[in-house]
Amino acid sequence: MRLSAIQPVSPNRGGSISAEPRINDRIRVPEVRLVGPSGEQVGIVPLAKALELAQEYDLDLVEVAANARPPVCKLMDYGKFKYESAMKAREARKNQAHTVIKEMKLRPKIDPHDYDTKKGHVVRFLKQGDKVKITIMFRGREQSRPELGFRLLQRLASDVEDLGFIESNPKQDGRNMIMVLGPHKKKTEAMAEAREAQAARKAERQGGGQLTAEADEGAEEPAEESAEA
């Protein structure tokens, strides 16, 4: 016996394992526990009988529990099932809330107008349900006056306290001083409110267009009467 002729079996031989369930003639067992189209329990039947029922109902035989003994199969429209599952997954991803950390940079001696502009951005971020990292950048001699940055951060936190709170207190990081503001409103709530506001604006625009059309129609009627006179 020549041991050198024995080759190890690769774990990847045969291709990748599909996540799709086996359906119809791809099911290779003598019998299955069958579930009807409406979820009713049919019982354990031979595979040939289950495939025959699938043809009668014009449905697919889908293996839903391959590890059961015998495997559980259900009669369903597999194409419709895949489409509805994809739509549900898409909607779930759409409504999924991702926490985002925005960043806003300020100087210790910021101009009042610039401060109002920066504060407006922070307000918008917090309303959207996002966290905001506020960075005070010190330059030159400003590094010897950290209290200027601290007072500015406290002022900003006070100005937006209705929308957010101090999640991470001001701390020195080299030439910078950093503070993190967290929103009172959850991201999911902010997203829902944004969708409602968008729908309301759309309805308002449509309603305004309808009123304009009705006003135009009303303005034409006296002209027709004057012509008849």
Side-chain angles (χ1 to χ4, degrees):
M1 181 177 180
R2 294 189 303 170
L3 296 178
S4 59
I6 302 176
Q7 299 294 329
V9 177
S10 172
N12 294 328
R13 183 173 295 176
S16 59
I17 299 175
S18 173
E20 295 285 335
R22 294 187 295 182
I23 65 172
N24 300 327
D25 56 359
R26 290 174 54 197
I27 302 173
R28 303 290 185 179
V29 292
E31 59 184 14
V32 298
R33 185 179 298 277
L34 186 62
V35 179
S38 301
E40 68 276 14
Q41 297 290 332
V42 178
I44 298 176
V45 299
L47 177 62
K49 178 63 175 177
L51 290 171
E52 181 182 338
L53 289 173
Q55 290 183 348
E56 290 181 7
Y57 284 104
D58 193 22
L59 295 172
D60 299 302
L61 182 67
V62 182
E63 189 178 57
V64 295
N67 295 328
R69 292 291 178 270
V72 180
C73 295
K74 185 176 181 180
L75 298 174
M76 68 172 73
D77 184 337
Y78 187 59
K80 180 180 179 182
F81 170 76
K82 285 188 66 178
Y83 174 78
E84 291 177 347
S85 298
M87 290 298 100
K88 289 179 181 178
R90 180 180 177 183
E91 189 67 21
R93 288 194 299 269
K94 180 180 177 182
N95 294 328
Q96 188 175 7
H98 296 282
T99 301
V100 178
I101 298 181
K102 305 289 187 176
E103 184 170 12
M104 188 60 55
K105 296 182 178 180
L106 295 81
R107 294 292 307 281
K109 298 179 181 180
I110 188 171
D111 178 82
H113 176 73
D114 291 339
Y115 173 81
D116 290 338
T117 301
K118 299 278 189 178
K119 183 181 71 174
H121 292 314
V122 174
V123 167
R124 176 164 53 88
F125 295 148
L126 292 174
K127 283 184 176 180
Q128 293 172 353
D130 296 322
K131 296 182 180 181
V132 189
K133 176 183 176 183
I134 312 295
T135 302
I136 304 294
M137 301 179 297
F138 296 97
R139 293 180 182 176
R141 296 181 179 179
E142 293 175 347
Q143 297 180 56
S144 63
R145 300 286 305 279
E147 68 275 6
L148 296 178
F150 183 81
R151 284 200 296 264
L152 182 59
L153 291 176
Q154 291 294 324
R155 174 188 172 189
L156 180 59
S158 177
D159 288 345
V160 299
E161 62 182 356
D162 291 341
L163 299 172
F165 61 95
I166 299 177
E167 184 173 288
S168 178
N169 289 316
K171 62 180 180 180
Q172 194 78 23
D173 183 15
R175 295 185 177 183
N176 300 328
M177 183 175 288
I178 298 171
M179 177 181 73
V180 177
L181 295 176
H184 291 311
K185 188 181 301 179
K186 293 182 180 179
K187 185 71 173 179
T188 51
E189 296 175 356
M191 292 171 62
E193 289 184 3
R195 286 194 295 268
E196 291 176 0
Q198 183 178 5
R201 288 194 298 268
K202 183 178 179 180
E204 185 177 353
R205 287 196 299 268
Q206 292 175 346
Q210 184 177 358
L211 289 175
T212 302
E214 292 176 354
D216 291 341
E217 292 176 359
E220 291 175 356
E221 292 179 357
E224 292 177 358
E225 293 176 0
S226 176
E228 291 176 358

